[in-house]
Amino acid sequence: MKAKKIRNLFIEFFKSKNHQFVPSSPIVVKNDPTLMFTNAGMNQFKDFFLGNDVPKANRVANSQKCLRVSGKHNDLEEVGVDTYHHTMFEMLGNWSFGDYFKKEAIEWAWDLLTEVYKLPKDRLYVSVFGGDNGDGLDRDLEAFRFWNSIVPEDRILFGSKKDNFWEMGETGPCGPCSEIHIDLRNDEERNQIPGFDLVNNDHPQVIEIWNLVFMQYNRLADGSLKELPAKHVDTGMGFERLVRAIQNKSSNYDTDVFSPFIELIEFKSGKKYGKDEKTDIAMRVIVDHIRAISFTIADGQLPSNNKAGYVIRRILRRAVRYGYTFLGFQKPFLYELLPLLAENFGDIFPEIAAQQDFIAKVVMEEEASFLRTLDNGLKKLDQIKDEMSQTGSKVIDGKVAFELYDTYGFPLDLTSLIARENGYSIDEVSFKVEMEKQKTRSRAAAEQETGDWNVVNNDDSVVFVGYDFLDSESRIIKYRQIRDKKGDRFQLVLDRTPFYAESGGQVGDQGFLQNGAETIQVLDTKKENDLTVHFVDKLPNDPSKVFLARVNVEKRKSTVNNHSATHLLHAALKEVLGSHVQQKGSLVNEELLRFDFSHFAKMTDEEIIKVENIVNAKIRENIPLEEQRNVPIEEAKKKGATALFGEKYGDFVRVITFDKNFSVELCGGVHVPSSGVIGQFKIVSESSIAAGVRRIEAVTAESAEQLVNGQLSLLKEIQEMLKNPKDLKKSIESLVSERNELRKEIEALHLSQASLLKEDLLKQVENVNEINFLFAQANFPNVDALKKISFELKNETENLVAVLAAEIDGKPQIAIIIDESLVKSKGLNAGTIIRDLAKEIQGGGGGQPFFATAGGKDIAGLPKVLEKARLMLKGLYCK
Ligand code: ATP
Ligand code: MG
């Protein structure tokens, strides 16, 4: 059975049990301070479990893109070394939100595996939560009974809290779980050791394929458990492992999910898979990592030097180095896997095919840049190993690892990996010390302590009225205390709110809550998953009161201008540059708008002006905003609405249109009632921020006016400086050409002055015993002239020894030039002599044996220099 069919059967099976299929959410997580990447199918449903949001369907099924390379789930070190952990994998899941529970979840899982996929029953084992004293929890006998009605007791294990109790994080929904494991060993091995003994023992052929989580508790901040009002089912099955079990392979990489990629790498490297453990690991790492890298870039996260971007960079560099060391790839090669990736995922994850060229470009540039330092870094590591073999130490100093990180771009885990391959380890503590020392940037803002919610009013519907109103009558539903680098603050959730929560690039609203004489400032509004939280620095005296909630109008107005202008800009860019332009990020606040987009070349001045003109024309057309709420997503897409990759959309979306033939976008932000309100649009800069990504910054309304007025008054000042000429451009042109003429004249003057000077100096040469001596002070215009004339004198006079002194720009300067033949025959050295002479002018200098110069501070010393020179060189007179 092919992988694609296996995935489809899963979806069909749960559809037949009345589940709604929902698409995968992006692999890059936004609006969640606790998570960078989606690491389980349940992430996108977190709000349903927390009770912050109500699901539209209470049974759903999906295939979720997951990444486990950081935080609570980090499988990176296993990947490639073993054959069943991936960085990025698909998690198939079925879900019940307060609907069915353990019985159905268990029976359906068994049915699907054994009846639909026909996996042999005698190879399957299941585990059940065995209880935990600390939490005061008993064994999960309920799950045990359901299992036992279909599976014999000798295939059921009771497991520990570690394996069989699932928790979302430090706090939040949790509950016991049941895992399904499969024994894929051959019969001979199975007869020797029963599979029962190998479950959860890291045996590469006895692996977990499915985890059924029964969420029934909420873990509070004090560690205690509270029964959830509604119980849920959350299951997760690794697609790649399932395919392996059904296709009866001993490795995930032997299934048709990966084998076309392995074949391509075999072809490109000229090496065979399955011959040598090291090349095998390298091939597995590469075909695994390219998926993680590509999916993350497709969802909007570019490689960079911090946070999520650095995670991607690390994975990419790891793959490059494996290819370089073990497969002999000296040039970028990862990006060449993209066409195959696009082809393989075309049906389920179209975002790869849609952005294939862009992803390839980003990957290729990253590879090329790392390959430039990789070789030197590896040599450095070899050298360190050599040095260490002398001392016998096996622990590499963290300072060295830090240098590799800092200078050669080796992520710490890459250096540790290479070290391990050679039997060394890294002193990570001293690495961290170095890292801390260097870190000037502030500590990650994500570090936040949060208290439990205190419920004030039992109302779980939250209404956002900010599209239509700037104030509302609001009640606090709940509040909690938080502590982060900004100090102690509170978060409030309101039943009705006019405050827009930061998202889609638009900043959160500020404003206040008022009750009688009491006013509470709202400092910011953010989303936590789908919940709107208001940040305030103090709590009201009585939180149960009704408040007037009001948005800061000025800030909102300017922000809205910039947001609508961003839409016009996006559409204008597509018109001028082409339909390949994809939004890659945006920021909209009250001061400016910033728009990042995919485009491979720097925009020309003409293109920038064209874009600006289109936007301004659309502003003058005063196009009324067409805002449609709750449009079914399919209908919106049919209208040609621009949806962004990496953005999470519900079944119903909001569509913002400014002229249906110009700008139609899916957007939750706030906009101007008609484009004319924006007034004016002005691009401030266009630049590159990463491979294939350009950034435009622009301003609107008063800010645009200020910018233009600022430029105009600068022009006026210049005009006044030039005494208000009729034609400013012409008079600046003539000023410039006049200046060039004058410069030429001065140069000519210097030249003739110099030749006069030289003539004069030649007259002062005295010949003693066939040596021509010259000791003179003269008016050299600059140091260059001093040098130039010294050399000319030497060329025109045989056997010359000259010491020249001058005052140049108020400072003493001296030069010594000696004919090469005398340097040899008399053993003279201008460099040595000048150091001695320079003492007289409180200075220093140096040079070569035949020519040296020095500068100093004391002009009065110049005659002494010449006097001393005479005396020093006097010996020569006598010979
Ligand atoms: P394991 O112990 O094998 O690492 P897990 O306990 O971390 O698995 P869960 O968090 O329960 O796994 O995830 C549910 C399912 O997702 C697993 O049963 C497995 O099939 C799959 N899975 C988990 N981690 C990975 C991974 N790194 N690569 C591929 N599949 C995975
Ligand atoms: Mg795991």
Side-chain angles (χ1 to χ4, degrees):
M1 204 187 288
K2 292 261 190 230
K4 281 187 184 165
K5 171 134 193 235
I6 294 172
R7 190 194 285 118
N8 284 338
L9 280 177
F10 179 90
I11 296 164
E12 290 313 317
F13 179 84
F14 283 103
K15 273 190 181 163
S16 78
K17 309 284 183 214
N18 297 323
H19 287 60
Q20 197 188 84
F21 175 75
V22 293
S24 173
S25 69
I27 202 162
V28 183
V29 176
K30 289 180 185 153
N31 299 329
D32 189 336
T34 63
L35 208 58
M36 285 199 283
F37 300 104
T38 301
N39 60 16
M42 61 80 59
N43 298 155
Q44 71 161 317
F45 304 122
K46 208 164 147 182
D47 274 334
F48 303 156
F49 300 128
L50 290 165
N52 292 337
D53 202 354
V54 191
K56 285 173 211 81
N58 47 22
R59 294 181 180 192
V60 304
N62 68 343
S63 172
Q64 174 67 47
K65 300 175 277 187
C66 296
L67 189 64
R68 293 196 168 179
V69 290
S70 56
K72 186 171 163 241
H73 291 288
N74 187 348
D75 294 335
L76 187 64
E77 299 306 332
E78 267 71 58
V79 176
V81 179
D82 79 15
T83 57
Y84 61 107
H85 280 96
H86 301 293
T87 51
M88 181 257 165
F89 64 99
E90 280 181 67
M91 198 186 278
L92 302 169
N94 58 293
W95 311 80
S96 154
F97 305 120
D99 189 8
Y100 64 84
F101 204 44
K102 293 179 190 173
K103 181 174 187 304
E104 292 84 346
I106 288 172
E107 288 175 2
W108 289 339
W110 191 255
D111 240 31
L112 177 64
L113 293 181
T114 60
E115 300 303 323
V116 179
Y117 293 137
K118 305 255 186 276
L119 286 176
K121 292 179 183 164
D122 69 337
R123 285 178 179 271
L124 296 171
Y125 294 87
V126 301
S127 66
V128 170
F129 177 53
D132 183 75
N133 286 339
D135 279 329
L137 293 176
D138 220 346
R139 304 169 144 213
D140 188 358
L141 288 176
E142 201 186 355
F144 176 79
R145 258 180 253 123
F146 292 130
W147 275 122
N148 199 203
S149 67
I150 39 179
V151 181
E153 201 168 333
D154 63 1
R155 317 198 136 264
I156 308 177
L157 302 86
F158 279 99
S160 65
K161 180 173 165 184
K162 177 180 147 282
D163 288 322
N164 285 92
F165 196 85
W166 202 90
E167 310 219 23
M168 194 167 77
E170 296 296 312
T171 57
C174 53
C177 62
S178 262
E179 300 164 339
I180 305 173
H181 297 256
I182 190 158
D183 182 354
L184 292 164
R185 293 172 304 154
N186 60 32
D187 289 340
E188 194 188 325
E189 284 179 70
R190 288 207 298 151
N191 287 336
Q192 278 169 5
I193 309 170
F196 190 95
D197 295 343
L198 298 175
V199 168
N200 269 335
N201 262 326
D202 292 333
H203 190 289
Q205 301 299 333
V206 184
I207 57 173
E208 176 190 331
I209 52 173
W210 203 347
N211 193 355
L212 317 179
V213 180
F214 310 118
M215 289 212 207
Q216 57 189 106
Y217 306 105
N218 188 16
R219 172 90 60 194
L220 302 179
D222 68 3
S224 65
L225 292 172
K226 210 175 120 189
E227 194 91 18
L228 282 173
K231 299 189 175 34
H232 317 288
V233 172
D234 151 4
T235 85
M237 171 150 66
F239 172 62
E240 298 77 5
R241 292 189 192 178
L242 173 67
V243 174
R244 163 183 173 177
I246 295 171
Q247 295 181 353
N248 197 17
K249 304 283 186 194
S250 57
S251 151
N252 288 12
Y253 297 91
D254 294 341
T255 67
D256 65 337
V257 179
F258 290 99
S259 56
F261 294 88
I262 297 271
E263 281 162 23
L264 186 60
I265 292 291
E266 282 183 314
F267 173 74
K268 288 199 179 294
S269 65
K271 295 199 157 64
K272 275 261 154 257
Y273 183 71
K275 293 262 182 290
D276 171 71
E277 182 66 2
K278 279 197 169 138
T279 38
D280 287 358
I281 292 178
M283 289 191 189
R284 292 197 290 260
V285 163
I286 289 164
V287 303
D288 172 277
H289 286 14
I290 188 63
R291 296 170 15 126
I293 299 159
S294 305
F295 274 95
T296 336
I297 296 174
D299 276 352
Q301 182 59 62
L302 296 173
S304 74
N305 252 351
N306 48 46
K307 297 195 187 159
Y310 191 59
V311 175
I312 298 312
R313 178 163 282 172
R314 266 170 41 210
I315 298 178
L316 189 140
R317 292 188 170 179
R318 201 168 179 266
V320 170
R321 183 265 161 180
Y322 266 106
Y324 181 90
T325 304
F326 300 110
L327 303 176
F329 288 121
Q330 311 259 344
K331 294 211 181 81
F333 61 96
L334 285 170
Y335 77 101
E336 292 178 334
L337 294 170
L338 263 140
L340 191 59
L341 202 62
E343 186 188 314
N344 271 258
F345 283 110
D347 53 344
I348 178 99
F349 303 123
E351 58 271 31
I352 298 288
Q355 302 179 86
Q356 189 182 320
D357 291 344
F358 170 71
I359 301 168
K361 166 114 178 154
V362 173
V363 171
M364 201 263 275
E365 300 247 344
E366 274 286 312
E367 287 186 75
S369 114
F370 185 50
L371 280 167
R372 280 197 283 275
T373 54
L374 179 62
D375 190 45
N376 285 336
L378 290 173
K379 281 194 189 121
K380 172 94 195 166
L381 253 176
D382 278 341
Q383 185 192 329
I384 293 158
K385 276 185 321 204
D386 282 351
E387 283 165 23
M388 289 178 61
S389 66
Q390 322 251 313
T391 63
S393 161
K394 288 280 168 198
V395 184
I396 298 178
D397 189 351
K399 260 193 188 156
V400 174
F402 183 76
E403 190 195 333
L404 280 161
Y405 160 81
D406 205 30
T407 316
Y408 303 101
F410 277 41
L412 178 64
D413 51 18
L414 180 57
T415 309
S416 320
L417 178 76
I418 301 172
R420 269 204 310 279
E421 285 170 2
N422 290 283
Y424 291 86
S425 67
I426 308 272
D427 176 3
E428 296 199 8
V429 176
S430 62
F431 175 87
K432 285 199 182 107
V433 171
E434 291 302 312
M435 189 75 164
E436 279 308 311
K437 272 195 213 156
Q438 192 224 33
K439 252 189 199 163
T440 44
R441 261 169 291 167
S442 58
R443 215 53 45 77
E447 278 168 32
Q448 195 183 66
E449 270 177 54
T450 45
D452 290 327
W453 285 110
N454 299 289
V455 177
V456 185
N457 286 301
N458 254 329
D459 184 350
D460 39 51
S461 71
V462 175
V463 185
F464 173 63
V465 298
Y467 291 139
D468 307 303
F469 303 101
L470 290 169
D471 47 32
S472 76
E473 255 184 23
S474 305
R475 283 144 71 88
I476 296 172
I477 294 181
K478 54 185 179 178
Y479 67 86
R480 69 178 174 191
Q481 188 164 19
I482 61 160
R483 172 176 298 165
D484 59 16
K485 67 175 198 284
K486 289 188 180 156
D488 283 342
R489 287 177 302 160
F490 295 88
Q491 293 180 330
L492 310 178
V493 176
L494 303 176
D495 63 344
R496 287 168 71 76
T497 178
F499 292 93
Y500 181 79
E502 177 182 319
S503 60
Q506 182 178 335
V507 293
D509 275 327
Q510 295 176 335
F512 59 81
L513 301 177
Q514 198 172 45
N515 173 263
E518 188 182 34
T519 303
I520 307 283
Q521 296 298 329
V522 174
L523 309 169
D524 199 358
T525 314
K526 282 192 196 294
K527 271 192 178 175
E528 196 162 312
N529 304 303
D530 283 329
L531 195 67
T532 297
V533 289
H534 306 78
F535 289 71
V536 295
D537 51 6
K538 61 174 187 199
L539 283 179
N541 295 330
D542 180 356
S544 68
K545 284 269 161 52
V546 175
F547 295 86
L548 166 70
R550 175 164 290 167
V551 171
N552 174 335
V553 183
E554 284 310 310
K555 179 179 150 98
R556 163 75 86 84
K557 254 168 72 184
S558 311
T559 307
V560 164
N561 282 336
N562 286 336
H563 198 157
S564 299
T566 307
H567 284 213
L568 302 182
L569 170 65
H570 189 178
L573 283 169
K574 281 206 153 97
E575 228 175 82
V576 174
L577 302 177
S579 57
H580 64 278
V581 167
Q582 287 271 349
Q583 175 166 349
K584 287 289 155 209
S586 79
L587 170 74
V588 173
N589 60 29
E590 69 268 42
E591 280 157 11
L592 54 78
L593 63 99
R594 205 163 72 191
F595 188 72
D596 301 339
F597 58 100
S598 51
H599 181 56
F600 291 162
K602 179 170 175 53
M603 282 177 75
T604 63
D605 288 348
E606 291 76 45
E607 284 168 342
I608 292 177
I609 291 172
K610 240 187 198 167
V611 166
E612 207 174 84
N613 286 348
I614 293 176
V615 174
N616 278 316
K618 292 290 169 189
I619 290 173
R620 283 192 298 273
E621 273 178 44
N622 198 18
I623 308 162
L625 162 73
E626 211 183 302
E627 181 212 15
Q628 290 160 299
R629 300 178 195 170
N630 294 317
V631 183
I633 178 117
E634 287 313 318
E635 194 184 315
K637 283 190 179 158
K638 264 191 219 124
K639 283 186 178 174
T642 313
L644 308 182
F645 292 114
E647 209 53 62
K648 187 164 121 193
Y649 296 107
D651 297 338
F652 293 90
V653 291
R654 185 159 165 271
V655 182
I656 294 296
T657 307
F658 287 101
D659 179 348
K660 67 180 190 319
N661 297 316
F662 183 65
S663 162
V664 186
E665 285 196 38
L666 301 187
C667 176
V670 194
H671 289 274
V672 294
S674 62
S675 64
V677 174
I678 302 168
Q680 195 179 355
F681 170 83
K682 191 89 199 120
I683 291 177
V684 179
S685 65
E686 191 273 349
S687 58
S688 155
I689 55 159
V693 184
R694 313 289 311 173
R695 165 172 291 177
I696 282 187
E697 289 192 331
V699 287
T700 62
E702 288 90 347
S703 303
E705 228 164 72
Q706 273 168 20
L707 182 75
V708 174
N709 285 341
Q711 297 288 310
L712 286 176
S713 63
L714 180 68
L715 205 62
K716 197 157 166 254
E717 275 174 44
I718 294 172
Q719 214 148 8
E720 279 164 11
M721 274 162 76
L722 298 176
K723 309 275 181 283
N724 296 312
K726 267 203 205 98
D727 187 336
L728 180 65
K729 195 173 157 217
K730 219 176 183 173
S731 62
I732 289 181
E733 273 166 6
S734 70
L735 213 64
V736 172
S737 73
E738 207 173 292
R739 178 178 155 277
N740 289 343
E741 282 304 312
L742 286 173
R743 179 182 280 167
K744 273 187 210 145
E745 274 176 37
I746 290 177
E747 275 165 15
L749 263 170
H750 277 165
L751 224 60
S752 68
Q753 208 184 10
S755 79
L756 283 178
L757 198 63
K758 194 175 75 192
E759 292 310 318
D760 189 40
L761 287 169
L762 280 171
K763 283 181 203 148
Q764 298 180 41
V765 172
E766 17 171 342
N767 186 292
V768 183
N769 287 347
E770 297 190 351
I771 297 177
N772 285 315
F773 287 101
L774 172 62
F775 302 97
Q777 179 165 352
N779 287 328
F780 294 94
N782 50 42
V783 177
D784 277 346
L786 174 63
K787 280 185 193 161
K788 196 162 165 259
I789 292 173
S790 302
F791 279 96
E792 283 178 15
L793 287 169
K794 181 176 71 116
N795 291 341
E796 290 170 30
T797 319
E798 275 187 357
N799 287 344
L800 180 74
V801 173
V803 178
L804 299 172
E807 180 187 334
I808 297 172
D809 295 333
K811 297 227 170 80
Q813 283 284 345
I814 48 178
I816 303 182
I817 193 138
I818 303 173
D819 196 283
E820 276 91 348
S821 64
L822 295 176
V823 168
K824 272 197 198 128
S825 62
K826 306 277 177 197
L828 292 175
N829 187 332
T832 326
I833 300 172
I834 207 151
R835 270 193 287 278
D836 198 10
L837 296 181
K839 287 179 195 153
E840 302 299 329
I841 52 170
Q842 291 181 29
Q848 287 151 291
F850 65 93
F851 181 69
T853 57
K857 291 183 209 147
D858 183 15
I859 293 169
L862 285 176
K864 282 185 234 158
V865 167
L866 295 177
E867 196 49 41
K868 193 169 181 182
R870 265 180 216 284
L871 282 173
M872 272 174 75
L873 296 163
K874 196 174 171 189
L876 294 171
Y877 290 84
C878 308
K879 277 182 196 158

